[in-house]
Amino acid sequence: MKPHLLLIEPMMPAVEKALDESYVVHRWQKDELPKDAPIRAIATGGGTGVPRAVMDALPALEIIAINGIGTDAVDLVEASRRGIAVTVTRDVLTDDVADLAMALMLASMRDLLPGDRLVRDNLWGKQVLPLARKVSGARVGIVGMGQVGQAIGKRAQAFSMQVSYFSRRNLDLPAFPFVSSLPALAEQSDILVVAASGGAQSRNLVDRKVIDALGPDGLLVNVARGTVVDEQALVSALQEGRLGRAALDVFTDEPNVPDALKTMPNVVLQPHRASATIETRQAMGRLVLDNLTAHFAGSPLLTPVTPLF
Ligand code: 8YV
């Protein structure tokens, strides 16, 4: 008998097909609690996670397979209490997220979107764009120096950037100097890139003080979680010219983005797409499937969340 699985966030068609072959898949209708089905597994996205009410409505739940690396939208304490396994798609999306951080940096500093718009609007030769900002050699501060932060650091160094980082503790990384104060890191950086995990411990870590320290010539890039940045403080700083630029893939209340950001020419916006390439979503989907298979075969999970499990 196929186990019942609740799919909270759509995955790529090939992965959904594989899920359908091995599970009775219930596709989640928002605001409707899944009832009456003996659901033993959930597959969901990192940003979406699992609403606590859904967890509570599923007494037979054994495993939550996250198609992503973020665990901030899953109640891990409750999962641990109930003995529910949680898995993520570690390692396979690191490169893509770091690539998008670089793309956002380049797009913002080099004014790619205004340049593209000028050509499309047939204004080339009629209107002159202001000069952009140089990326190579810029000073970059990275907030959160896990796998993604380090992958961004390596790429930035290939652009001859001077890279420093802030994280909860000094990781003694030979290639990257640690700065123990986030405002101090922002002060000494041209570009601040947020790569820290979401959750209570990092909520509004990038606050008004940090944004002001980055300053009117600074760029803030966020490829982590919207919650790590005080979004109101960010909007006001951009409106008041206290921050130069922002390039954002993530927001506090996705998919809702503050209207003010949508009208600013010095802001680059993406709809949470850092891992959204065919290659990476295939690899992520494979890990979700393999973790589920391992669980139902009683084998060790491939990429469980530690240290809770
Ligand atoms: C994905 C993410 O976009 O890894 C994460 O935690 O948020 C992203 O990589 C997401 O998991 C797919 O919904």
Side-chain angles (χ1 to χ4, degrees), residues 7 42 107 132-133 141 186 208 238:
L7 181 62
I42 286 179
R133 296 291 310 280
R208 181 179 171 137
L238 287 162

Side-chain angles (χ1 to χ4, degrees), residues 9 44-48 66-72 89 93 97 224-225 272-275 281 284:
E9 187 184 279
T44 187
T48 308
I66 301 174
N67 186 36
I69 46 173
T71 56
D72 51 305
T89 57
L93 51 69
V97 181
R225 283 290 184 264
H272 197 148
R273 267 170 71 77
S275 65
R281 284 291 166 85
M284 290 164 68

Side-chain angles (χ1 to χ4, degrees), residues 186-187 189-192 210-220 243:
E187 174 96 50
S189 300
D190 302 305
I191 301 171
L192 195 68
V210 174
I211 294 169
D212 282 347
L214 188 55
D217 291 325
L219 161 65
L220 181 74
L243 177 68

Side-chain angles (χ1 to χ4, degrees), residues 102 137-138 140 142 145 150-164 174-177:
M102 297 309 293
V140 176
I142 301 178
M145 206 53 167
Q150 292 182 43
I152 295 168
K154 277 190 205 143
R155 284 160 176 72
Q157 283 176 337
F159 277 76
S160 309
M161 294 178 171
Q162 302 160 47
V163 180
S164 315
F176 305 111

